């Protein structure tokens, strides 16, 4: 199992709270007081096979989906 950073854990928890799906813009708003670099963190989570979204880097209209629980 891959060890997650505090930021990655925060994003996974927010997705769990929203039944595994959240729009990127909404997620950005939830994270803005906690940390910066949401796109980079999502990219790392996608590489680890934990989240899925369309494209290489999520855009503002992207739907972020939790595909594997940790």
């Amino acid at each position: 199992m891959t060890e997650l950073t505090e930021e990655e854990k925060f994003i996974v928890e927010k997705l769990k709270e929203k039944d595994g799906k959240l729009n990127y813009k909404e997620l950005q708003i939830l994270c803005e007081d906690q940390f910066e670099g949401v796109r980079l963190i999502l990219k790392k989570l996608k590489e680890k096979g934990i989240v899925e979204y369309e494209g290489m880097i999520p855009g503002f209209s992207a739907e972020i989906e939790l595909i594997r629980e940790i």
Side-chain angles (χ1 to χ4, degrees):
M1 179 181 225
T2 306
E3 205 47 47
L4 298 181
T5 66
E6 289 302 313
E7 292 87 357
E8 291 170 335
K9 289 176 186 175
F10 183 86
I11 288 175
V12 169
E13 285 304 314
K14 292 300 172 190
L15 285 166
K16 285 180 182 177
E17 290 173 11
K18 301 292 183 174
D19 296 323
K21 288 188 179 181
L22 196 56
N23 179 281
Y24 172 77
K25 191 172 183 179
E26 293 175 60
L27 182 61
Q28 174 67 31
I29 291 167
L30 292 171
C31 296
E32 67 187 357
D33 291 334
Q34 302 294 320
F35 53 85
E36 295 182 5
V38 175
R39 281 192 171 114
L40 180 58
I41 296 164
L42 286 170
K43 183 178 179 192
K44 290 177 184 178
L45 286 170
K46 185 175 183 176
E47 289 170 356
K48 293 177 183 179
I50 296 171
V51 301
E52 185 57 56
Y53 53 83
E54 191 174 310
M56 295 291 289
I57 296 176
F60 279 106
S61 63
E63 185 76 22
I64 312 302
E65 182 177 358
L66 182 65
I67 58 173
R68 182 171 61 106
E69 298 252 351
I70 50 147

